[in-house]
Amino acid sequence: DGPFGVAVIDLRTGAELVAGSREPHPQHSTIKSWVAVAVADAVEHGSLRWDEPLRVEPSDLVFAYQPIAAEVPAAGRTFTVEE
């Protein structure tokens, strides 16, 4: 219960479809969708590989709630893009 807003913009025509509030809202977990699309696109175009290692250090964990924090020890950890 609370304000919500959803907007879709056709990047070719500029046409907009908006439901709910036109006020800006934080993306919260919806950002995961955009990151997943960007990563898949980078893999498809060859600038990233699913098995490419990514190093995560405790200093990279800047948000108050990050479930991945439980998997990153003080010495850091290497994940693959796929993980």
Side-chain angles (χ1 to χ4, degrees):
D1 296 322
F4 78 96
V6 177
V8 178
I9 300 173
D10 185 320
L11 297 177
R12 288 172 291 185
T13 68
E16 295 182 8
L17 176 62
V18 178
S21 169
R22 284 187 160 271
E23 295 298 314
H25 299 283
Q27 288 201 24
H28 297 293
S29 288
T30 61
I31 192 70
K32 294 173 190 172
S33 300
W34 300 112
V35 171
V37 168
V39 169
D41 186 65
V43 170
E44 183 177 328
H45 288 93
S47 60
L48 199 59
R49 295 183 333 269
W50 290 118
D51 63 348
E52 190 165 333
L54 297 172
R55 185 81 184 156
V56 179
E57 303 292 340
S59 61
D60 297 321
L61 307 173
V62 296
F63 298 107
Y65 176 71
Q66 290 186 236
I68 194 174
E71 298 183 44
V72 180
R77 178 174 169 195
T78 300
F79 295 87
T80 65
V81 170
E82 184 175 25
E83 289 177 295

